[in-house]
Structures are given as structure tokens and as C-alpha cells.
Amino acid sequence: MNINPNRTDAYGLYASSFAKKNVDESYDSEQREVKSFSRKRWVQDKSSALIKQMRVLACNQPHFFDRETSRTSSDRKVSHWVTTDGFKALDEARSRVSKTFTAEEVAERFRNTIENLIHKLRYEKIATGYHEIDQREEITAIFIDFILCQEGLVHDRCFTIESSPDKYLAGKTISQGRAEEIQSFLDAIFTERAAEESEFYELRMYYSFGDMVVDYLNKKESVSDDVIPKTDCKNDFCLIEFTYGKLLKAIFPFFQTLLAGNGFFSELVVIFDFVKKFRQEIIDSACKPCQTNNVITIALRLNGNDIREHFNQDVMDVIFSRRCDGIVNAMFDNCAFGTDNEVRPASRLNLKFGEELEYDIKNQPSGSKYRPVATFTCRLQKKGMIYHDANACGPDASYGYGFDNSFAVYPFYDSMRWFEINCTPYHSDDQLAELSFEKVIEVTDSMLIDGLIDYSSGHKHVDALSATQGDTGVLLAMESEVQRNPFLLRAFGNNDRILQNDEAKWYKTFSDYDPDIKPFALKRLNKMIDRYNKKIEENDTQKASHKESTDSEKKERLEQFATFYSQFVHMTTIQEGLGYIDADVSGKFMAMSLLHITGARGVKKLSTLEFRFFRCPKTVQEIKSINQFLQVWFQYLHQCRKDKTPLQPVPENIRSCIDYTAEEVQAKTIDYLTKLGLNPEHYRCFWGEVRDIPPATD
């Protein structure tokens, strides 16, 4: 769904695909003006250079016009040939600057150049990856648009096929001299890559698209390879050398991962400029690979020379600022606000829930690898819940147990450290689900008594569409609530695990972020909140409702927001999503995770919100209480949206959850539940466990 049909300044709203045509992209109008201005400056600079050249030629023949009249005929004849050659060169230089091509004309010129180079140098394949089929036509088309975008002739966009003539900026041209200069860049990169490839793949000449665009930028910017390489030991028999060439090869894969395939032409340039600026620092931070071979990823994870802070300033802040307004503006397209004269109550939601009941595995005898699952399934079947095939739990489940196929649970091991139980999605009024949970709790209680397991986490999944109705403003409001109230992490049963085991890192808020990224996360969230509140002040809303959209369109909206927010505010890609290098794997886990909406490495795409700060429920009533809390919470957020209630920013000095006393946590939790219209006594089973635990002494 195109949420920006009028070509506003939204960024990052289209997925990148070499097989996907996109004839209705959105572009940044301000960028057009900047590119236009930059283009004029370039022409002016070229003209200035030509004038200087003319002056130099004239100066090389002093008093030319005075001498000419006093010379003899023969002298004039000789002089005529000399001056004619000078003026001929001058005319050629002037012609190269004055002669121009339209975008379409120069695109065809570059296409012929690239095709001739591929043929002359005997490239067998031009593709996105070594194991991909030849994609030279598609890649050439995108590559040419990328080049022309740098010259201010093509609108900025994702790396997609674009066949519409609207992609060209009207009235823009390029001089013959500049076109020939670009052709020289193309000749150089294709020739140099062919020479490099021939050393290793004599029979199969190959050029990847990612290497192609980065090689072009490197050649265009004339970056010198002045990096001092670094050598590291992979093992006793193998040395790894980190060079500038290896760094260049890391740029495009890093760009694709960081921006989830949604990166714009100009955003690749932003990342390239960062790498160019800090190329030596990145190489110096390199080490033997662990989970990833990307040199940039390694540098960011290890954070030597404070490289992560520079990356946030030079890359993430720049891209965030370009995209932020478009993301927030989309919250006010087709949104369901009441009028100034009448604000109706938000419609009652019917949330769809899912469970992750997690238990620590204890006292497992040697050789009984599957004992907890076997014990659980055996005892569960004795209570009438029989085995069903995968259809009981969906395509991702291998088996399930239930009274019938309409609801089932399925047990499994998570990393052999935890015993986990998932279930079919259900609504709070599902009686069969409630009965099934009663039997599950009876079985797990017996396993607790036998010392096989102990309580761990109780991650709650909520279907994103049922909770938000496709309104991304609800997600922003939810983040404002979660980040401003970090005490909630200790209020729902995890107090001891947080204080004793630092477990908040598995479901953290911004208050628990590392110092080098915390201020960036807070600043970006608050910028979104500020933009949101200004839109409310402007009363910039439409009367149409999200309910008029299809479910797939609503899900697309949610995915666009979740992708942007996870990348630039949660910064999961910087913390862990890009791969971990000898570091804690918990970096990507948030109090409320959006990753299941988009999917990520090691995270299934389920279109759910995952709330990770609840303790594993001990009773069916605790399951129902958490469901009720979330039901009322989302109802409250929807009502705030309809009432046009401004969002509150998160204080820069927000305290970590561990910095609250037990008394503060309990008092604030009671106040918060009361604000939502809930009875705090119904939640005493959670907040009643909160206590102060003095730090351990050596």
C-alpha cells in the first residue's frame, strides 16, 4: 500500500526488490531543491573553470592582439596556425560544457557503455549474488538510475526497478564533459574488477551489484587506499587480513541489513561517506569473525574508538531525520479522529492473545535430554488433551495437544536451557482455551513439585492488528507509556530476577540502554512525539477511518512503522540484529518488541506485539489478569487517539527500573493501574512480590 501517494517527504516506505516494479515512489521535495541547487552549482563551477582555461590560454600569448597588427604576412601565417590550434582546443572545451544531454539520452549512453564493457571484458554474470542467475538488464537499469540520482537527474528511491518516466527530474540535463567523465569511471571499475576476478575465477567473470555501486562511489570520490591493513589469527593455521578492499565489500551488505532492504540511493551514499571518513578506525577495530564476517558490523559491536557514537551521529541521525516526518505524517492519513464537537468513545477491542510460558530446566539427569517435554506430554494426555498434528497450532508447529483442533498447546525446548509452551492464538472469552490452561497449569505445578522446572518468563503475544486496528499512532503512544514508566518491568513478578540476575537486559527500556546509544534513542522518540503533537495542534486529520482499509493494507502500515522504529529508535540492528561479536546476545530484546511484526534474524514474522516483562503466570487467573491489563491498556490508548491527547515525552534523565525502591514501584504501580480503571488488588499477586534486595557483597 502506498501511504504517500502525493509524493511527500516520507522515506523508507517501500521494500527493495530487484523483481519488483514501483511506479509510484515517494520523494523528498526538499531534497529535489537541494539536488537542483547542487546541480546548478556544478554547472557554474564548470563554466568558471572554462573561463579560467580561456584566460590561461590568452596569458600564454602576451600582447597577442597588439603584436598581431605589427607582424609581417609570413609571421601572421605562422601565428595563425598556432592561435587556431589554441582556439580549436578552446572551442572543443567550450562545446563539451555547452553540449548537454537529457536524462533519457545520457541513460541510453551509459547503458551502451556498460553493455559494451560487459561484452568486451567477457563478464559471464552480473547479479546480486554469486549463486543468483544473471540479472544484467535489471541491475544495469537500477545502476544507471543510481548514477543519475547522484547527478540530480533522477528522484531518490529504493534500489528497485522503476520504468516510469516520472522518475526523471523535469528540465534537468548533464553536460557532455560530465557524461564522458562518468563513462571513464565505468570503464575503470569494470576493467579493474575484471582484472581482479581473472586472478581467481579465470572461467567465470562475475560482478555483484553491491560491489558495483560501491566501486562507482569509490572511483567517483577518488578515495585513496591509505588504510594500514590489520592481520588477525582465525586459528593456528590461518591469518585474516582486513584491508580497505575488504571494507568496501562490506558496505552494501551492511546497508541492506541495516535498512532491511528499504534503503534509498542517497542513504547508501551516507553510509559510504561514513566508512570513507572512519575507514582506518573501522579496520583498527576489526578482529577475527564471530557470527559475522562483516567488518563494519564487527567495529560497531566492539565499539572501539567510540565508533558507535560516530555512526549514530553521521548515519543514523541523518537517515532518521529524513524519514521521521513521513512516518509520523502517515499516522494522520485516514485516521479515525472525532470532530471538535463530538468525540465518541473508542470501539471496544477484541484482542487476540498468544502465550510463551517459559520454565527453567532443573535437575535434569544425565542422558534424559527430553525428559521435561516427555513428562509434560504424558501427564497432559492423562488429563484428556490428546495429540494433534501441526494444523492444530499452525504451520510452524510440529505437534500440539488439545481437547480438539480448535485450540492446542505445544511444548518444546529453547536452547536446552528452557522448557517452553506455546499455544494457538485465542480471545479472552475462549472457554476451551481457559480449560486447556487449567490442565497445563496442573501439569506444570506437578513438575515444579518434582523439581524438574522452575518459573522463568511469561512473554505475552498480542495480535498487532487486533490491538491497533492498523493505527500506527497507537504504537507510538504505547512506546511513550512503556518508556516513561520503567518501574513496570519490576511490577509484574520479575523483581527478584531483575535485581539479582540483571534480567532486565532481556526486556529493557531506554533507561537501561548502554550510555553510548541511550541519548540517541530518547532524542529520536521525543522528536517523533514532538512531531506527533504538532500535527494534533494543526488539527491535520482526515475524516476517513482506518476501518476502510483492508487488513493487508493495515498490516503494511504496521510493518512500515515497526521497521523504521526498530531500526532507528530501538536500534535493534546496532545492538544485536546485525550479529553479535563475543558479546551478550540480549541486545535486541525490548520490553515491548516489534520484531515479530517485521521478522528478523532468529525472530519469526508473526504480526504480533511481544510483551516480554511479565513473569511466567502461576495460575489461570494470572493469565486472565495480564490479558485484562493489556485489553484496558490498548483501549485507553485508542481513546487518547480519538481525544487527540498529546503524547508525553520521555525525560532525558529517566531512571532505570533498578533505581526505584520497592515502595516506589508498588506506589507507582497502584497509581498506574488506578489510572487505567483497574483494581490494583487484582494484581497484588504481581506487585506484592516487589521487595528491596541489597546488592551482593564479596
Side-chain angles (χ1 to χ4, degrees), residues 375-387:
T375 301
F376 175 81
T377 56
C378 179
R379 296 180 184 182
L380 196 64
Q381 290 183 83
K382 292 179 179 179
K383 294 185 178 293
M385 297 182 68
I386 62 174
Y387 173 86

Side-chain angles (χ1 to χ4, degrees), residues 375-376 379-380 383 439-447:
T375 301
F376 175 81
R379 296 180 184 182
L380 196 64
K383 294 185 178 293
K439 303 306 178 184
V440 167
I441 296 297
E442 289 175 7
V443 172
T444 55
D445 280 349
S446 68
M447 296 173 68

Side-chain angles (χ1 to χ4, degrees), residues 225-234 238-247 279-289 295 298-299 302-305 581-582:
D225 183 1
D226 55 359
V227 172
I228 301 173
K230 179 180 179 180
T231 302
D232 199 0
C233 297
K234 182 177 182 180
C238 181
L239 294 177
I240 298 177
E241 187 177 35
F242 296 95
T243 63
Y244 182 60
K246 189 170 185 177
L247 179 57
R279 55 189 184 276
Q280 186 64 64
E281 289 83 354
I282 294 173
I283 292 295
D284 290 344
S285 299
C287 70
K288 58 184 179 181
V295 183
I298 295 172
L302 296 181
N303 198 29
N305 302 310
I581 317 296
D582 296 335

Side-chain angles (χ1 to χ4, degrees), residues 661-678:
T661 66
E663 183 179 358
E664 285 179 307
V665 173
Q666 291 183 340
K668 287 181 176 294
T669 301
I670 290 171
D671 289 344
Y672 196 79
L673 293 171
T674 302
K675 181 185 78 169
L676 296 177
L678 293 167

Side-chain angles (χ1 to χ4, degrees), residues 396-448:
D396 293 328
S398 57
Y399 54 84
Y401 294 84
F403 291 105
D404 59 33
N405 280 341
S406 63
F407 181 85
V409 299
Y410 62 101
F412 62 97
Y413 289 99
D414 182 358
S415 304
M416 298 309 300
R417 294 175 57 189
W418 297 282
F419 165 59
E420 184 170 335
I421 304 168
N422 292 173
C423 71
T424 307
Y426 68 97
H427 294 284
S428 58
D429 60 354
D430 189 329
Q431 296 299 312
L432 184 59
E434 183 174 341
L435 176 61
S436 300
F437 285 133
E438 288 178 359
K439 303 306 178 184
V440 167
I441 296 297
E442 289 175 7
V443 172
T444 55
D445 280 349
S446 68
M447 296 173 68
L448 286 159

Side-chain angles (χ1 to χ4, degrees), residues 608-622:
T608 63
L609 303 169
E610 183 184 15
F611 294 88
R612 302 177 56 85
F613 58 91
F614 299 112
R615 163 181 47 74
C616 182
K618 299 178 179 180
T619 65
V620 174
Q621 183 56 49
E622 287 188 359

